[in-house]
Amino acid sequence: MEMRTKPFLQEVAEDLIAKFGSQLQHCAIIFNNKRPSAYLQKHLADIIQKPFFSPSFFTIQEFFANATKYKIADFYLQFFTLHKIYNQLLIEEKLETISSHKFFPLAKIILSDFSQIDSDLVDAEKLYQDLEDISIINKEFDYLSPEQYEFLAQFWTSYSEGKHKKQQELFIKMWRRMPKLYHKFHEALKAQDYITNGQAYRLLAEGNINEQEFLKTFEKGKIVFVGFNALSSAEAKIFTQLQEAEKALFYFDADEYYLDDPLQEAGLFLRKNINQLGLKNVFENQTSLMKTTEHSVNVFKVQGQSAQAKILNHILVDDYKKKDELGSTVVVLADESLLIPTLQTIPTNYNGNEIDLNVTMGFALATSSIFGLADLWLTSQLEILQSSKVSYKNVEAFITHPLSGLSQKMRDKIQTALLNENIVEIDHQRLLKQSGLFEVFYKKIDKPENVVNYLLEVLDYVLTRLSNAKTLKKIDAELFVKTIQELNRLNDTFGKHIGSEEIPFVIYLVQKSLQAIAVPLAGDPLNGIQVMGLLETRNLNFDKVVILGFNEGIIPKSSIGNSFIPDSIRRVYGLPVLENLDAISSYMVYRLLQRAKNINFVYNSLTDESTSGEASRILKQLEFESGFDFKYNELNLDIKTEPFKEVQIEKTSNEFIQQTLQKYLNKTKVLSPSALTQYISNPIDFFFNYIAGIKEPKEVSAIVEANEIGSVLHKVMEYFYQDLRVAEITAERINERRKLVPGLIQKAFNAVMFNHPDKVIEYKGMQKVILAIVDAYVSIILDQDIKQTPFNIISLEQKVEAEITFPLNGQEASVKIFGYIDRVDVKDGVTKIIDYKTGSDKLTFKDIPSLFDSDGKHINKALIQTLLYTYVYEQYAGKTCVEPNLYIVKTMNKDGIWFKSGRQNLSGDYLEEIKPEFLAELRKKLTELFEAPYFVASAIPDNYKYSIYKTLFGK
């Protein structure tokens, strides 16, 4: 087997044993993060090969926290303390206080700035004084980016363009407040025996670290710092003090390739540590692994975000086969959102052998169904607090949620009940009455301390129910336990602060904290394929490295995070700036590569809102100067789609279809004009709708569909003319009755939307818009009718039916056609059929045959329907010369109410010529419906543009 390059931590282990032997137990070993200590212990054990006393391991935060006599304050203690003091300062300035809710995003930024100021030993007073001076001089604010400006502006309700000066006063006052806020905040914490992390660093750095009691534990050994790179000023000061007192050793993981070349940003911080601070690297003068060992690099350009994970099976196939020793393969997710696609891609076993997979990254709770349930509970509680009602969409989400565990029967029953009433909001009391799960889920929060308690009750109830029913998945069980632990911890940490807060704010806090939780997934920490984020790879080495999400803007990141301290001032005070992120990212990648033989970079080449579609600049730089062996792979994964097949439904040998068609022939089923026009424009739609009976599921919606506007309008016109039709209709009578229209519209709206004409409701938002539209439409129709006066109305919304015969297999057959005619008028002895249309129907037609051509572009559904009504009405009422009129409300002002072919109006003699031709074509179509062997799709996409069955017939 070829020689492996020794991992950095193995070299550290060998050196430590050589230096300290059995005295190693007196050493403290300090890393940036937790992960490496397991690896170092394993290397020590492999070398010593017998039981030994382990040295003490710490992360740098733990080490400093142990060295100070205070407790470290968690985020909530810091937030509530900061908020209290901020409001005290506002009161002193005789200003209005700010609510927790509004202050929260502001506080996160202030706390992170404070922490940076402390760990970089900056004089807060001076820094904020400078900020204030600059903003006074620079009343233009040009150092704030538009985003920062926008962000700040959200916190001052008085914001408006015209108040720019006022705005600046507010900023200046804010800077002025900061030094006081900073000092009082730290005093208030110390009074309770707490400090922040940043303060712990500052206290140690500004005192004499060597006098700390805690360090005496390690007098016989040394304090060993392993693998550090970028140091804050506090760390730098503490490190140099310890080195001067000969208490510390530093193992830097460096390579002369980037250490000795000032143009390589990867070496920026190491050069600073070694050359400027004078920290001595135990491993100096080592040969450059970047230059001397071979590295083969594969670059995969992939189209699409999750597609990046899909090629892991191609890259890792050899690793699935072998059971390899420690640290052979790592998958690094530069973009952490790729965790789920990665877990879905890597199989659990390969050729019958289990694959060892260890995920050290947290699984984001926010992507799980448990978070979905908790989040739904929190939003429903907000609705109950606001209005004692819960929106239909939240109730529906609850009853259909996989974890609510309701039976399908129960779900259907509740949904049907709610659909029938079309209620957009459901009364809280009514939900509580459902008992069981509903009672627990919809129990109203009575005080802020109970937000977490009640949520725990809900999760507990659901968990017990699922485990009793034995339907709990393993990962869900782990997530439940983790969420419950997290919530209990939250309860402990903010429990004592929230007594006087508003309940909605506590709900917001719980939502935010749950979103941030990452659940570690268990695995054997050191064996098999490791999946980790870039930060977690510090100090570790692998022979084979796969980095997913290697895009510009992701690595290095393109923003430093929110801060109120502008770049110019950050530079003066030595606070981190954007280039630092470049240097840190480059270093993390380079140190991972220097000992890796097989390197794979995967990036997404599609531009979307999260990535630029470009490979990281680090990749371009490596390719340009490293001399590694690069291979390019473009993977356009074939997305397998079903080959398109023309769907046609055979009628002849299908018994069910034959029986259903027979029902029309023996009149147990009747044909409506809309069924017929559906058959004409797209025959296969007729099959799905009228033969197979596949209907679109009903939905409750606060928005009114276009066809419902039509229904409301028809109702209003019916109400309007109901009492007028007793006598001749004149312009005066129409105008007289017009004042009733608004009331009639509301009655019609309630009848259509809630099956309840006399319901009293308060109209909101969209509903008001609908009422206004209908009002405008009624006006147009009445104006048109006034032009027609005087006339008489024979019927309103009358149901009519008639038979129509046609040849079928050489015999005569017939079907019954029925419909509701909006209105029948008589004017100057001519009977007119009036049809109202609110859509964008047309009055023009080419000729009669083209009306019936399913594969043509000239089908006019409105004309077919009105001519059909005309025919049926003539049969039904025993009249002739009945004339169809179409009231298309959107266009009738300019286009009138008659159908036209070319210039000719469809009335009088022309109409009488057309009627028999129409009848003949209609009979042909009916023969086709019952005789043709197949139901087929129209050849013209426009004819089924709005069909709900498109996907069923393969379009």
Side-chain angles (χ1 to χ4, degrees):
M1 175 180 163
E2 55 180 317
M3 274 298 294
R4 291 182 66 174
T5 313
K6 267 186 206 167
F8 171 64
L9 289 179
Q10 187 182 337
E11 294 183 355
V12 172
E14 289 169 0
D15 194 72
L16 285 171
I17 291 167
K19 279 196 171 59
F20 296 100
S22 60
Q23 293 297 301
L24 194 54
Q25 62 181 17
H26 302 300
C27 291
I29 296 178
I30 298 166
F31 292 112
N32 260 317
N33 55 334
K34 277 202 163 18
R35 191 96 192 104
S37 53
Y39 280 81
L40 185 58
Q41 274 170 308
K42 169 102 169 75
H43 288 304
L44 291 170
D46 286 350
I47 299 164
I48 298 175
Q49 299 235 325
K50 57 176 194 279
F52 64 100
F53 286 108
S54 166
S56 310
F57 287 97
F58 299 95
T59 66
I60 184 114
Q61 282 98 339
E62 292 166 342
F63 186 71
F64 287 173
N66 276 318
T68 155
K69 59 178 197 296
Y70 294 98
K71 299 186 292 244
I72 304 287
D74 69 21
F75 172 75
Y76 295 103
L77 177 59
Q78 292 187 39
F79 168 73
F80 287 108
T81 310
L82 188 72
H83 183 222
K84 195 161 95 203
I85 292 168
Y86 197 79
N87 273 340
Q88 283 166 5
L89 294 176
L90 290 173
I91 292 167
E92 281 171 27
E93 297 173 38
K94 306 210 170 7
L95 292 169
E96 234 183 288
T97 56
I98 182 171
S99 71
S100 321
H101 220 121
K102 254 195 155 158
F103 187 61
F104 190 76
L106 206 57
K108 282 176 104 156
I109 298 177
I110 295 174
L111 289 171
S112 107
D113 282 348
F114 281 2
S115 151
Q116 238 167 29
I117 286 172
D118 282 337
S119 54
D120 275 314
L121 307 180
V122 169
D123 179 340
E125 201 100 25
K126 231 169 108 18
L127 175 114
Y128 286 115
Q129 180 59 54
D130 281 0
L131 260 182
E132 187 187 331
D133 294 347
I134 285 187
S135 32
I136 290 172
I137 298 164
N138 174 356
K139 280 246 170 149
E140 292 312 294
F141 273 92
D142 42 20
Y143 67 76
L144 277 184
S145 70
E147 291 80 42
Q148 284 172 311
Y149 197 53
E150 184 66 9
F151 185 81
L152 283 171
Q154 298 171 33
F155 299 103
W156 285 280
T157 33
S158 63
Y159 178 66
S160 81
E161 286 305 327
K163 296 186 180 163
H164 192 61
K165 286 282 167 278
K166 175 95 164 55
Q167 199 65 21
Q168 292 165 328
E169 309 288 279
L170 286 167
F171 280 121
I172 292 165
K173 279 187 176 154
M174 182 168 115
W175 306 144
R176 213 165 275 164
R177 212 173 284 138
M178 280 300 166
K180 269 195 202 157
L181 181 65
Y182 172 87
H183 291 299
K184 291 193 155 176
F185 166 67
H186 285 313
E187 279 159 26
L189 284 179
K190 277 199 184 126
Q192 310 167 62
D193 251 359
Y194 280 102
I195 52 174
T196 64
N197 231 327
Q199 273 280 305
Y201 281 37
R202 183 185 281 255
L203 278 181
L204 292 171
E206 291 179 346
N208 182 350
I209 181 83
N210 293 307
E211 286 164 13
Q212 294 294 337
E213 208 34 49
F214 173 64
L215 298 195
K216 301 214 164 91
T217 341
F218 310 110
E219 268 175 344
K220 293 190 188 153
K222 283 268 183 359
I223 295 162
V224 181
F225 294 93
V226 181
F228 282 80
N229 176 34
L231 303 179
S232 65
S233 312
E235 288 168 331
K237 201 162 168 188
I238 293 168
F239 285 13
T240 40
Q241 282 185 17
L242 288 167
Q243 178 170 282
E244 280 158 22
E246 300 192 344
K247 291 186 175 164
L249 287 179
F250 301 95
Y251 288 91
F252 291 115
D253 187 1
D255 192 295
E256 62 180 48
Y257 174 86
Y258 50 81
L259 186 60
D260 299 347
D261 175 355
L263 290 176
Q264 290 284 356
E265 72 263 35
L268 179 73
F269 291 106
L270 289 170
R271 286 193 288 277
K272 204 166 155 184
N273 298 343
I274 296 169
N275 307 341
Q276 285 172 319
L277 295 173
L279 297 176
K280 280 197 59 60
N281 185 6
V282 176
F283 287 163
E284 55 189 349
N285 309 327
Q286 280 186 306
T287 49
S288 164
L289 296 168
M290 286 291 272
K291 290 181 183 154
T292 58
T293 56
E294 57 169 302
H295 301 85
S296 67
V297 182
N298 283 297
V299 179
F300 295 91
K301 175 176 171 184
V302 180
Q303 296 189 341
Q305 188 56 354
S306 331
Q308 298 180 79
K310 296 298 164 239
I311 69 171
L312 284 171
N313 289 340
H314 168 77
I315 301 176
L316 297 177
V317 69
D318 302 337
D319 308 86
Y320 294 163
K321 292 181 190 143
K322 58 179 187 231
K323 280 272 179 260
D324 215 354
E325 70 275 47
L326 181 68
S328 66
T329 307
V330 68
V331 175
V332 180
L333 306 183
D335 179 346
E336 310 217 336
S337 67
L338 291 169
L339 179 61
I340 292 179
T342 300
L343 294 180
Q344 289 168 340
T345 303
I346 299 177
T348 43
N349 57 46
Y350 185 81
N351 293 343
N353 293 324
E354 239 177 78
I355 291 177
D356 272 339
L357 182 67
N358 177 47
V359 182
T360 58
M361 292 177 64
F363 173 88
L365 181 68
T367 54
S368 70
S369 55
I370 290 164
F371 174 78
L373 188 68
D375 196 44
L376 187 61
W377 179 79
L378 293 161
T379 25
S380 305
Q381 286 294 337
L382 280 175
E383 293 183 332
I384 294 168
L385 287 167
Q386 254 161 1
S387 63
S388 299
K389 290 178 162 39
V390 181
S391 64
Y392 171 77
K393 75 175 189 346
N394 281 340
V395 174
E396 185 184 39
F398 169 59
I399 58 181
T400 55
H401 194 283
L403 295 175
S404 66
L406 295 178
S407 67
Q408 192 55 48
K409 198 168 153 197
M410 180 79 167
R411 282 178 193 179
D412 291 347
K413 194 175 139 194
I414 301 173
Q415 270 177 300
T416 315
L418 294 173
L419 282 169
N420 289 341
E421 295 171 53
N422 197 19
I423 313 184
V424 185
E425 297 173 313
I426 294 132
D427 280 330
H428 177 221
Q429 285 309 318
R430 185 172 166 193
L431 290 164
L432 289 178
K433 283 201 200 94
Q434 299 292 323
S435 76
L437 177 61
F438 284 83
E439 219 170 347
V440 181
F441 195 83
Y442 289 112
K443 173 164 144 191
K444 182 179 175 173
I445 301 172
D446 47 0
K447 48 181 201 267
E449 300 88 321
N450 279 336
V451 175
V452 179
N453 295 332
Y454 287 6
L455 177 52
L456 283 165
E457 281 176 25
V458 169
L459 293 179
D460 202 47
Y461 186 93
V462 171
L463 181 60
T464 314
R465 219 165 98 160
L466 292 171
S467 47
N468 291 343
K470 309 238 184 319
T471 52
L472 194 60
K473 298 196 190 73
K474 180 173 176 299
I475 179 131
D476 280 347
E478 271 183 46
L479 286 172
F480 259 116
V481 171
K482 188 69 190 169
T483 311
I484 289 169
Q485 279 173 350
E486 242 351 279
L487 286 168
N488 280 318
R489 204 177 58 83
L490 262 186
N491 224 2
D492 297 344
T493 54
F494 66 45
K496 38 187 177 305
H497 308 291
I498 58 176
S500 56
E501 291 296 335
E502 308 256 298
I503 296 176
F505 175 63
V506 181
I507 287 180
Y508 168 80
L509 274 190
V510 175
Q511 259 167 328
K512 285 266 170 264
S513 347
L514 288 177
Q515 267 165 352
I517 294 176
V519 184
L521 299 163
D524 175 0
L526 308 180
N527 283 352
I529 297 167
Q530 305 286 323
V531 176
M532 43 179 74
L534 188 62
L535 276 173
E536 295 166 297
T537 62
R538 289 178 295 188
N539 287 306
L540 309 180
N541 295 108
F542 302 90
D543 299 333
K544 180 169 184 174
V545 173
V546 185
I547 305 189
L548 298 188
F550 207 62
N551 277 73
E552 185 60 33
I554 289 175
I555 177 168
K557 279 206 177 52
S558 47
S559 85
I560 192 136
N562 268 328
S563 163
F564 290 145
I565 306 171
D567 188 72
S568 52
I569 288 197
R570 299 181 86 87
R571 289 179 194 279
V572 176
Y573 284 95
L575 291 170
V577 288
L578 202 53
E579 293 90 286
N580 295 18
L581 293 180
D582 292 3
I584 291 171
S585 301
S586 304
Y587 172 68
M588 287 198 286
V589 173
Y590 278 28
R591 65 146 302 279
L592 199 53
L593 303 187
Q594 60 205 33
R595 291 179 167 78
K597 292 194 174 51
N598 180 337
I599 300 158
N600 303 270
F601 293 118
V602 183
Y603 73 99
N604 172 11
S605 64
L606 292 187
T607 315
D608 59 27
E609 63 283 354
S610 58
T611 66
S612 58
E614 280 187 71
S616 165
R617 69 184 85 158
I618 300 175
L619 174 64
K620 296 181 180 146
Q621 193 174 329
L622 273 169
E623 172 189 28
F624 182 67
E625 56 191 23
S626 66
F628 294 175
D629 176 21
F630 272 79
K631 279 197 199 59
Y632 286 87
N633 308 276
E634 267 205 50
L635 277 193
N636 297 340
L637 297 173
D638 289 341
I639 311 280
K640 292 263 189 300
T641 52
E642 286 294 301
F644 172 73
K645 37 183 202 296
E646 195 61 59
V647 175
Q648 35 178 358
I649 311 282
E650 196 194 341
K651 308 180 194 177
T652 19
S653 58
N654 184 313
E655 199 177 328
F656 169 74
I657 295 180
Q658 288 305 326
Q659 283 171 353
T660 314
L661 287 172
Q662 195 52 47
K663 287 182 183 159
Y664 286 106
L665 296 171
N666 62 27
K667 323 287 184 295
T668 47
K669 264 178 150 28
V670 282
L671 264 181
S672 67
S674 49
L676 208 59
T677 51
Q678 192 166 46
Y679 178 75
I680 292 166
S681 57
N682 193 28
I684 203 159
D685 275 355
F686 179 89
F687 163 75
F688 288 121
N689 196 348
Y690 293 96
I691 309 265
I694 298 171
K695 297 281 187 272
E696 209 171 1
K698 244 180 89 169
E699 280 173 24
V700 164
S701 120
I703 318 274
V704 182
E705 301 288 336
N707 57 356
E708 288 167 336
I709 294 186
S711 313
V712 176
L713 177 68
H714 280 79
K715 262 280 171 264
V716 180
M717 295 314 301
E718 185 185 353
Y719 292 157
F720 185 87
Y721 279 123
Q722 218 141 30
D723 304 338
L724 281 185
R725 51 181 284 206
V726 291
E728 188 174 57
I729 311 268
T730 61
E732 297 74 44
R733 294 183 65 215
I734 291 180
N735 283 328
E736 169 58 26
R737 197 167 159 77
R738 262 188 151 164
K739 56 177 182 297
L740 302 176
V741 169
L744 298 177
I745 292 178
Q746 293 191 2
K747 189 174 157 188
F749 183 86
N750 297 349
V752 170
M753 295 303 291
F754 311 110
N755 281 336
H756 194 329
D758 305 317
K759 185 175 176 149
V760 178
I761 78 161
E762 188 190 333
Y763 300 102
K764 297 212 271 275
M766 202 52 204
Q767 298 175 326
K768 286 185 172 160
V769 174
I770 304 303
L771 298 174
I773 292 175
V774 173
D775 190 51
Y777 283 177
V778 171
S779 221
I780 293 171
I781 292 179
L782 293 178
D783 291 347
Q784 168 65 35
D785 283 348
I786 287 175
K787 286 188 218 156
Q788 298 290 318
T789 50
F791 62 89
N792 285 77
I793 291 182
I794 304 179
S795 67
L796 291 171
E797 291 294 328
Q798 187 183 2
K799 183 179 180 184
V800 291
E801 47 189 24
E803 285 192 15
I804 180 164
T805 58
F806 59 95
L808 178 60
N809 304 322
Q811 311 275 309
E812 185 169 282
S814 66
V815 289
K816 189 183 267 181
I817 289 183
F818 83 101
Y820 291 89
I821 297 179
D822 295 346
R823 189 173 113 199
V824 182
D825 293 356
V826 172
K827 161 116 180 124
D828 305 333
V830 181
T831 306
K832 297 168 175 280
I833 285 193
I834 311 282
D835 200 358
Y836 309 121
K837 291 283 187 205
T838 51
S840 36
D841 291 281
K842 299 226 179 343
L843 288 166
T844 52
F845 69 103
K846 190 170 155 233
D847 54 28
I848 294 297
S850 63
L851 287 182
F852 289 93
D853 179 4
S854 299
D855 294 333
K857 288 187 170 153
H858 299 288
I859 300 170
N860 182 332
K861 286 188 177 184
L863 176 54
I864 299 171
Q865 282 191 358
T866 22
L867 280 174
L868 206 52
Y869 281 135
T870 311
Y871 168 78
V872 173
Y873 186 77
E874 286 184 344
Q875 302 297 311
Y876 174 86
K879 292 196 169 175
T880 54
C881 299
V882 175
E883 176 182 300
N885 287 179
L886 195 67
Y887 280 25
I888 304 175
V889 278
K890 291 180 183 169
T891 56
M892 63 197 236
N893 275 342
K894 60 176 205 312
D895 295 346
I897 55 175
W898 281 280
F899 288 99
K900 314 179 186 36
S901 173
R903 289 238 171 101
Q904 214 168 358
N905 271 358
L906 190 55
S907 59
D909 294 344
Y910 178 52
L911 175 64
E912 293 315 303
E913 275 169 44
I914 286 280
K915 282 181 183 169
E917 195 187 340
F918 174 79
L919 203 56
E921 288 294 336
L922 175 61
R923 291 190 159 121
K924 271 196 225 160
K925 207 66 191 169
L926 286 168
T927 306
E928 176 198 306
L929 166 58
F930 290 94
E931 226 176 54
Y934 298 104
F935 285 110
V936 294
S938 163
I940 307 287
D942 259 6
N943 290 353
Y944 52 74
K945 191 158 64 183
Y946 301 114
S947 163
I948 60 169
Y949 305 107
K950 272 202 284 215
T951 50
L952 296 181
F953 55 85
K955 296 292 185 215

